[in-house]
Amino acid sequence: MTTLCIGNNRTEEMVGDLTGMTPLERAFAGCGAQRMLWFAEDGDVLVLPWEPEPAYLSYVTGLTGTRAESLTVVVPPAGPDGADILTPDRLADPGFRRELRRVLAGRPVGRVLAISPNAAVVDLAAAIGAEDAVPGHAFAAQGGNALVNSKAVFRALAAGAGVPVSPGTVATSPEQVEAAVNGLLDRGHSVMVKVEYQAGGFGNEVLTRAEQVAPAGAQRAVELADADAVASYVAERWQWLTGGRNQRVVVERYFADAVPLYAEFSVGDAGAVLSGCGEMVMDPVVVGEITPPVTPDAGVRAELVEQAARLCESLRVLGYRGTVSADAFLTPKGELYFSETNGRLTGSTHLHDALFARLVGAGHRADRVILELAGLHVPSFPEAVAAVERAGLAFDPRTRTGVVFSADFGPADGSVMYCVVAEDAAAARAAESRLLALFAR
């Protein structure tokens, strides 16, 4: 049966008000949506914000073994917000829906795989007679995806499941935010404030007294000397903190030098199955990861998986079905705290469900690591592919090692996201050094 892949990268359940996104952020979102090609198999239909670049399409399908000519891509007309994001109005376009029905005529949809399985996806699936192909469609149709991705709801969910979270609270007024921030600062702690809906650390800021603190997982650190400074900060940033629409604000203790981790699961009717774990790289927000994680020992990794599974079970009982990444961090004292859940295809899902599953192979998960990082500027995607091939760095299916370009951000800023598959972390870093030298300016 056909899988309908929907690249709705960046939705309100992920990042809040879409009108606040800059043109560059939108361009990055459109490029990121093209990673749906890693999940596509022969005969699948993809709904993307724009047609894939031919070089990227050929590259991805060449590695996965999918016949590019067997895939069908349907692009809705651009909406008021442009052509980079699959907004609900684009997915609801009558002409687009007619074309999608035509393409799918005689091809039953066995599965709808969307980056963000939200109500707009369920509505589209219902319009083409494939509502039951959306996992957890009843939950999603009632706005359930917003619950799973809310940083405020997460704290209640974790507390109810007995999963440890950083000391803090959820605030709904400026006075509550000020009280929570001052309470932590007065005890000598730095503070992380979080916008309820954002991704990748872009909705976080670190607040501190006079000492210098390097932000990790946040855009910046702000020095606030006293209660008056806190009040001024809250007043100035209130619109930003509440997403411009009276959202809740998370206030919690910030731990410097913590190691950011995650455990990702596939949540189904019978339970949650571990997809993989990783260690995130921050600069200062998320720029990549290494999977499996290299810093925590076996005991910490086991605790990470066990506690994340409890979170996933709580979401499963609520009715959520699909991918869940539970984020956490390991403090310098060895404490493990969880920070959020992400109910969607994440920036890690393609590593576990495509690269490990389809390129490396299930039998080599225990003896391979993948280092993925963004921001490598290249002359063009085809030239980058040719360069790594000439240098002998390209992924080799025989050794199951080498460089893979997982995303082409060329249309946004001329960069690519690269993965280095190696036997261990040291070998991955050595290969990365050779890769970076190829494109040194």
Side-chain angles (χ1 to χ4, degrees):
M1 299 182 79
T2 299
T3 295
L4 177 61
C5 302
I6 303 176
N8 58 338
N9 191 30
R10 298 299 183 263
T11 63
E12 290 196 346
E13 296 85 2
M14 296 172 66
V15 299
D17 187 1
L18 298 178
T19 63
M21 296 180 66
T22 67
L24 183 59
E25 289 171 338
R26 291 174 179 277
F28 270 105
C31 295
Q34 306 300 316
R35 283 189 296 202
M36 291 303 290
L37 291 169
W38 287 105
F39 302 94
E41 298 182 356
D42 285 354
D44 286 348
V45 175
L46 297 98
V47 177
L48 297 173
W50 33 262
E51 289 281 349
E53 295 289 333
Y56 184 64
L57 171 64
S58 175
Y59 176 78
V60 173
T61 54
L63 286 169
T64 62
T66 301
R67 293 183 296 112
E69 66 275 12
S70 76
L71 301 177
T72 303
V73 176
V74 185
V75 178
D81 295 319
D84 291 317
I85 301 175
L86 288 179
T87 47
D89 59 288
R90 294 185 71 187
L91 295 179
D93 180 81
F96 156 69
R97 290 188 171 187
R98 284 194 297 270
E99 175 63 12
L100 189 58
R101 291 189 194 97
R102 186 194 67 78
V103 166
L104 291 170
R107 301 164 66 179
V109 176
R111 181 188 185 198
V112 174
L113 179 66
I115 292 179
S116 180
N118 60 9
V121 167
V122 177
D123 184 69
L124 172 62
I128 61 173
E131 183 180 35
D132 290 343
V134 181
H137 62 87
F139 179 76
Q142 301 302 318
N145 199 240
L147 290 176
V148 179
N149 289 284
S150 163
K151 293 177 176 61
V153 170
F154 160 78
R155 288 187 64 88
L157 183 83
V163 172
V165 297
S166 179
T169 190
V170 176
T172 58
S173 70
E175 294 78 15
Q176 289 179 357
V177 173
E178 290 178 39
V181 170
N182 284 319
L184 288 166
L185 291 177
D186 290 346
R187 291 197 293 275
H189 305 311
S190 292
V191 178
M192 178 85 86
V193 289
K194 298 179 176 180
V195 177
E196 184 172 2
Y197 294 103
Q198 252 302 347
F202 285 98
N204 302 342
E205 289 188 342
V206 174
L207 311 180
T208 182
R209 288 299 192 208
E211 74 273 14
Q212 291 290 326
V213 173
Q219 292 179 280
R220 63 171 185 158
V222 182
E223 294 184 6
L224 302 175
D226 52 31
D228 288 341
V230 171
S232 296
Y233 168 84
V234 173
E236 177 188 346
R237 297 292 280 166
W238 185 248
Q239 281 292 104
W240 179 81
L241 286 167
T242 58
R245 50 185 187 178
N246 204 33
Q247 293 172 179
R248 292 163 290 185
V249 182
V250 172
V251 181
E252 61 187 34
R253 180 181 172 184
Y254 173 71
F255 290 84
D257 301 318
V259 178
L261 306 167
Y262 75 85
E264 188 160 295
F265 287 77
S266 177
V267 179
D269 291 341
V273 178
L274 179 67
S275 300
C277 304
E279 181 173 329
M280 291 173 272
V281 179
M282 303 289 187
D283 187 27
V285 294
V286 179
V287 295
E289 68 173 85
I290 186 164
T291 177
V294 295
T295 300
D297 60 26
V300 171
R301 291 197 297 271
E303 182 183 359
L304 172 71
V305 171
E306 178 186 355
Q307 300 285 9
R310 294 173 69 179
L311 287 169
C312 289
E313 176 60 16
S314 295
L315 293 173
R316 188 193 69 80
V317 171
L318 285 177
Y320 178 82
R321 300 292 183 270
T323 298
V324 172
S325 180
D327 291 358
F329 58 88
L330 180 66
T331 73
K333 291 184 177 181
E335 304 156 306
L336 186 68
Y337 292 112
F338 281 77
S339 54
E340 63 183 56
T341 54
N342 298 295
R344 57 181 181 263
L345 301 190
T346 71
S348 306
T349 309
H350 63 285
L351 300 181
H352 301 293
D353 293 0
L355 269 71
F356 263 130
R358 303 181 72 176
L359 273 64
V360 177
H364 290 274
R365 288 190 73 105
D367 54 28
R368 292 292 184 275
V369 302
I370 297 179
L371 170 68
E372 182 183 60
L373 288 168
L376 177 61
H377 290 270
V378 298
S380 71
F381 190 81
E383 290 175 271
V385 172
V388 298
E389 289 177 348
R390 287 195 302 270
L393 288 171
F395 181 78
D396 185 340
R398 295 171 300 173
T399 64
R400 302 175 193 271
T401 60
V403 172
V404 175
F405 293 126
S406 54
D408 176 18
F409 292 111
D413 73 342
S415 72
V416 295
M417 178 168 272
Y418 62 89
C419 299
V420 180
V421 185
E423 293 89 347
D424 53 41
R429 287 297 187 182
E432 180 195 25
S433 296
R434 293 180 59 197
L435 171 67
L436 297 181
L438 288 179
F439 302 101
R441 296 189 176 184

